[in-house]
Amino acid sequence: MPPKLSLTPLSSLRTSAHYIPSYSLLPNTTPHGHPLLTYHSCFAPSTTPSSLESHLASNGTSPQWRYTMYTTSHYHSTTHEILCVIRGRARLLFGGDANPGRVEQDVSIGDVMIVPAGVAHRLLEDVEGGFEMVGSYPKGCSWDMCYGEAGEGDKSEAVGRVAWFERDPVYGDDGPVMWGRERLEDANREL
C-alpha cells in the first residue's frame, strides 16, 4: 500500500478560482460555470509521482501521463483535467493568448490545477527547465485536443455537457471542487 499523501489541510489551503470568459472559438468556463482552480502548495515537494498517482486514483480519477504542458493553446471538450506539478516551475496561460480575461499563473512543485473542460491552456515558460506534471482525468473520460479553430463548433458546444466531479480529486468528499462560488470566494478572503 502506498504511503499516505501529506496534504495541506483544507483549513489553510490557499486556492485561486478564475472564471474565464469565452473568447473567439475558445469556450473557457462560460458554458458550465466551473472555475479554473489552483491549489497552491497542496502536497509536499518530496511527494513521489507514484504516490500522487495512487492518491488521485483513490479519489475517482485516472492518472494517464507525466509530462510538461504543450506550448500551443488547446482545450479538451470531453473531460476536465487535473494537473499536478511534480518537478520545476513554470508560467502558464489559461483562456487564450488574445483573451482580455486570460489568466497567467506561476506554478511550482506541489501545486494542483483543476482545468475544466473548455478552458484553453498552454505553457508560456519553463522557468528552470524540466517542468513536469502528472495529468489525470475523471474515470471513464478520455481527452481530445481542440484548438479553437473553425470546424470545432460542435466540440465547443459539448463542453457544457461534461459532468462535474463527484469527489474532489485531491481531498475526496470535501474540497474546493465541491464548493460553490461563494464558499470559494470566502475561503480566499480568509487566507
Side-chain angles (χ1 to χ4, degrees), residues 32 64 75-82 115-119 121 136-144 158-159 162-165:
H32 46 66
Q64 294 185 14
Y75 71 89
H76 310 294
S77 70
T78 54
T79 186
H80 309 298
E81 186 170 39
I82 303 98
V115 184
V119 174
H121 50 287
S136 192
Y137 305 87
K139 285 188 176 149
C141 292
S142 58
W143 50 274
D144 62 353
V159 165
V162 176
W164 194 237
F165 296 88

Side-chain angles (χ1 to χ4, degrees), residues 127-139:
V127 177
E128 300 171 339
F131 176 69
E132 189 175 13
M133 301 177 293
V134 166
S136 192
Y137 305 87
K139 285 188 176 149

Side-chain angles (χ1 to χ4, degrees), residues 55 78 102 106 160:
H55 182 79
T78 54
R102 72 186 174 274
D106 293 320

Side-chain angles (χ1 to χ4, degrees), residues 11-118:
S11 60
S12 55
L13 178 67
R14 190 171 65 85
T15 61
S16 299
H18 300 280
Y19 296 87
I20 305 170
S22 294
Y23 181 78
S24 186
L25 298 175
L26 300 172
N28 293 314
T29 65
T30 301
H32 46 66
H34 296 294
L36 164 69
L37 289 167
T38 302
Y39 304 177
H40 302 277
S41 302
C42 176
F43 60 89
S46 59
T47 302
T48 66
S50 58
S51 64
L52 180 60
E53 290 163 342
S54 292
H55 182 79
L56 291 167
S58 75
N59 283 315
T61 71
S62 299
Q64 294 185 14
W65 52 263
R66 296 178 192 173
Y67 193 62
T68 187
M69 184 182 281
Y70 295 120
T71 56
T72 301
S73 273
H74 63 284
Y75 71 89
H76 310 294
S77 70
T78 54
T79 186
H80 309 298
E81 186 170 39
I82 303 98
L83 303 174
C84 305
V85 181
I86 56 172
R87 188 172 354 150
R89 291 186 312 123
R91 183 144 190 86
L92 307 178
L93 177 105
F94 298 93
D97 291 76
N99 186 346
R102 72 186 174 274
V103 173
E104 291 184 23
Q105 192 165 308
D106 293 320
V107 296
S108 58
I109 297 172
D111 289 347
V112 174
M113 290 141 296
I114 309 297
V115 184

